Amino acid sequence: MLRRGLLSLLISSCSQGQSSLLTKPTLVCHQATQSCGRMHVKARGEVYPVRLEGAEPVKRFPVPDDKVSWREEWSEYAPLEYTAPFVLTASWADKELADLNAKWNSLDGDVNRKSHDGEYGIKEGRPLNPAGRTGLQGRGVLGRWGPNHAADPIVTRWKRDESGEEVKDEATGKKILEFVSIERKDGGGWAIPGGMVDPGECVSVTLKREFMEEAMDSTAEENRNSAENEKIVDEFFSGGTEVYKGYVDDPRNTDNSWMETVAFNFHDGSGDRVGGMHLK
């Protein structure tokens, strides 16, 4: 979900503890009732974010707030069915439902079809987005029916001056937290350098791999710093604190396919290890 781009250190004000910055309103889903404590917004955007040359924009069926929940009867609901053409032929994507024979809410071979938020509903053989209606059926640009699992490493350090002293915000007196981010090449703005969990892959492996690919460009054939980078990342990523696990309000979500993630914070208290990384 997060593509490569120019890497930078973005600065945000923070209190003495990390938790105040990393804690955010979460979208808590209750699968038994197919409702959420905070309804999704980005997943109901008017135009679906697919960019195919010469193709007409894919528009969602408008879903008002009071009709998001699957518990609400809505006979007029008639969303477009859409799966991007490249998804239908991709080796990393599911087959169409008629040929899939998926095991919903379980580990289906190497493919994890469990949701971090519990059991999701199935209607007419299709998984239902646990956060409710999105105005679009099918998979859109996502590969999996049901949950599409990602992992996001949040790499942080305190801002320091040239002498190594921690810098505080003049207005608030709070320490300033820096975190590694990437600028997406598709014009999607700034993002955390994470990505999709491959079938059968441990989240810890995904976190390391995606950070190196996205933030450190470990895929370059002639990267003289690759061995040094890998050593630093191996040591740094041996710890980490899980700060979020669950549904993601992502503009790519549909009624039958959605993003979920596990986010870990890796904090460099001294600032030496992040400073030693060869970032883009």
Side-chain angles (χ1 to χ4, degrees):
M1 79 183 186
L2 303 174
R3 298 282 66 89
R4 295 182 194 167
L6 176 67
L7 181 133
S8 178
L9 286 170
L10 297 186
I11 301 173
S12 297
S13 292
C14 184
S15 66
Q16 298 296 322
Q18 291 169 243
S19 59
S20 61
L21 176 75
L22 298 173
T23 301
K24 59 186 175 68
T26 57
L27 191 145
V28 181
C29 299
H30 306 283
Q31 308 302 331
T33 59
Q34 293 298 303
S35 64
C36 285
R38 185 172 66 87
M39 65 182 63
H40 52 196
V41 176
K42 293 181 179 179
R44 291 186 289 146
E46 180 181 358
V47 178
Y48 188 76
V50 59
R51 297 176 177 85
L52 298 177
E53 188 174 352
E56 291 292 324
V58 177
K59 294 187 176 182
R60 296 182 187 269
F61 191 92
V63 180
D65 291 352
D66 62 350
K67 296 296 184 182
V68 172
S69 173
W70 295 112
R71 293 181 302 173
E72 296 295 327
E73 294 292 333
W74 193 14
S75 59
E76 296 83 8
Y77 186 55
L80 175 72
E81 174 84 22
Y82 179 75
T83 299
F86 67 84
V87 172
L88 297 174
T89 59
S91 60
W92 43 263
D94 282 339
K95 299 177 181 178
E96 284 293 78
L97 283 174
D99 304 315
L100 188 59
N101 191 29
K103 298 178 181 179
W104 307 119
N105 290 297
S106 65
L107 187 61
D108 187 4
D110 285 338
V111 179
N112 184 10
R113 301 194 189 278
K114 295 181 180 179
S115 169
H116 293 310
D117 295 314
E119 190 169 317
Y120 49 85
I122 307 296
K123 183 177 181 181
E124 298 177 355
R126 294 184 171 215
L128 291 179
N129 187 318
R133 298 181 177 94
T134 68
L136 193 70
Q137 292 182 329
R139 281 178 287 165
V141 298
L142 298 178
R144 303 292 179 197
W145 294 96
N148 288 254
H149 291 288
D152 293 303
I154 304 172
V155 176
T156 59
R157 70 179 182 186
W158 297 117
K159 183 179 181 181
R160 297 174 184 272
D161 58 24
E162 294 181 357
S163 66
E165 294 297 316
E166 294 175 347
V167 176
K168 294 184 179 180
D169 183 84
E170 293 182 0
T172 65
K174 298 176 181 179
K175 292 193 290 185
I176 298 173
L177 194 69
E178 298 180 322
F179 65 96
V180 176
S181 68
I182 59 171
E183 187 176 17
R184 295 170 58 120
K185 289 184 178 180
D186 61 5
W190 292 94
I192 297 168
M196 305 305 297
V197 179
D198 290 339
E201 185 177 55
C202 294
V203 169
S204 59
V205 175
T206 307
L207 290 165
K208 173 188 167 185
R209 169 174 53 79
E210 290 295 330
F211 184 80
M212 291 190 68
E213 289 181 1
E214 303 265 359
M216 307 176 81
D217 199 16
S218 65
T219 58
E221 294 183 4
E222 297 181 6
N223 185 356
R224 66 179 183 275
N225 298 315
S226 60
E228 185 178 351
N229 279 341
E230 187 167 0
K231 181 180 178 181
I232 294 173
V233 171
D234 277 339
E235 295 175 353
F236 187 55
F237 276 49
S238 62
T241 302
E242 183 181 303
V243 294
Y244 180 77
K245 178 192 288 186
Y247 181 86
V248 178
D249 183 9
D250 192 290
R252 296 169 293 181
N253 292 352
T254 71
D255 286 358
N256 315 116
S257 187
W258 60 91
M259 290 297 306
E260 297 193 12
T261 196
V262 178
F264 275 80
N265 175 225
F266 300 91
H267 183 66
D268 182 2
S270 67
D272 295 337
R273 287 178 290 176
V274 174
M277 295 178 181
H278 299 283
L279 304 176
K280 288 185 183 179

